[in-house]
Amino acid sequence: MDRLLLRYTVLLLLLVQAMTIPMANGHRKRPTFCNDAQQGSSFLWTLPGREPAVYFFGTIHVPYTRVWDHVPWSAKKAFEKADSVFFELDLTDPETVAQLASCQMLPSGETLSDVLPGDMYRRLKRHLDYVKLMMPSWMKDEHRGLYAEYLFKAIAGNWEKKRPVWVMLMVNSLTESDVRSRGIPVLDLYLAREAARLGKRAGAVERVEEQCLPLNGLD
């Protein structure tokens, strides 16, 4: 029985690849795997000498429909055969989700206007007002109106009480393409739900504080 360990390795792998691409006339050469997708890395790694086998697979926080067709057969097969699956965090656990939401908040009594420069805070507020105005036009007809208002509150609710780094991540997700794909689970969550549906044992390799504390330290 195989065990599939899912961790974030994509960013690291891309950085390593970028640093090792040879230079020509002062410019980076186009990587060969860009010319032939079949030559690209599958981001599936095997820990040698282990029985049962242990796999590492790099994932990314985007709607799974954007990348699923590009996930190689070897990774899908390893997931299918896996008896146990371990994610960065268990996003299907309500307690984990609640802890993630809590760690994003500023200390009690503080607001974003207290920690951001005045001009930056005003520009941020204008941008969010613009997003709220445009959101109905970014959505399908049946999702406009009240649903657009609900979705904005679901994504940006309490933004004035959140830490700057989490507001930055929130703003990055408030694009037309991301709003249109709202409701489609990101790759990690999709795999977690599939693991539950297939009766696999699931777990997490990190605690919420191990993810939150480094990010909150960037404020």
Side-chain angles (χ1 to χ4, degrees):
M1 294 182 292
D2 298 336
R3 301 176 67 189
L4 180 62
L5 182 60
L6 298 171
R7 289 297 309 273
Y8 280 102
T9 59
V10 172
L11 181 57
L12 176 60
L13 291 171
L14 290 177
L15 288 173
V16 171
Q17 289 171 345
M19 290 187 292
T20 56
I21 295 172
M23 304 287 284
N25 299 324
H27 300 286
R28 293 192 183 278
K29 290 183 178 179
R30 179 181 175 86
T32 56
F33 58 76
C34 289
N35 300 322
D36 185 356
Q38 297 303 317
Q39 296 179 6
S41 171
S42 68
F43 299 116
L44 180 70
W45 298 71
T46 304
L47 193 62
R50 298 296 297 269
E51 183 60 39
V54 176
Y55 296 98
F56 293 82
F57 178 55
T59 60
I60 187 170
H61 272 301
V62 297
Y64 83 94
T65 50
R66 294 187 190 176
V67 296
W68 189 246
D69 289 344
H70 304 286
V71 174
W73 176 86
S74 57
K76 292 178 179 177
K77 192 66 177 178
F79 180 81
E80 178 186 322
K81 293 170 59 181
D83 178 63
S84 301
V85 186
F86 294 86
F87 298 90
E88 181 185 21
L89 292 173
D90 184 2
L91 298 178
T92 65
D93 176 30
E95 180 63 25
T96 296
V97 175
Q99 290 178 13
L100 278 172
S102 177
C103 85
Q104 298 178 22
M105 309 308 287
L106 286 163
S108 179
E110 287 189 25
T111 65
L112 203 57
S113 61
D114 297 324
V115 296
L116 287 184
D119 180 61
M120 181 180 294
Y121 176 82
R122 288 188 292 272
R123 285 189 287 124
L124 172 62
K125 191 174 187 307
R126 285 198 301 269
H127 177 71
L128 292 177
D129 288 341
Y130 164 78
V131 170
K132 185 176 182 179
L133 178 67
M134 295 300 297
M135 189 173 283
S137 67
W138 294 347
M139 307 177 73
K140 297 179 180 179
D141 291 341
E142 63 269 24
H143 290 160
R144 292 183 180 180
L146 291 177
Y147 181 71
E149 183 176 351
Y150 164 80
L151 184 59
F152 180 83
K153 289 181 179 179
I155 300 173
N158 287 328
W159 67 269
E160 292 176 297
K161 296 182 180 180
K162 291 185 177 181
R163 295 177 179 272
V165 65
W166 295 100
V167 174
M168 178 193 71
L169 296 173
M170 177 197 75
V171 169
N172 286 341
S173 70
L174 283 171
T175 64
E176 181 174 355
S177 60
D178 284 334
V179 167
R180 285 182 180 274
S181 61
R182 204 68 183 182
I184 300 174
V186 295
L187 182 58
D188 296 57
L189 183 55
Y190 171 75
L191 290 173
R193 289 176 176 176
E194 280 295 288
R197 184 181 68 83
L198 297 171
K200 301 179 185 295
R201 185 168 69 93
V205 296
E206 288 185 2
R207 297 188 300 272
V208 171
E209 58 267 27
E210 291 174 325
Q211 188 171 98
C212 281
L213 291 178
L215 282 172
N216 288 347
L218 297 175
D219 287 347

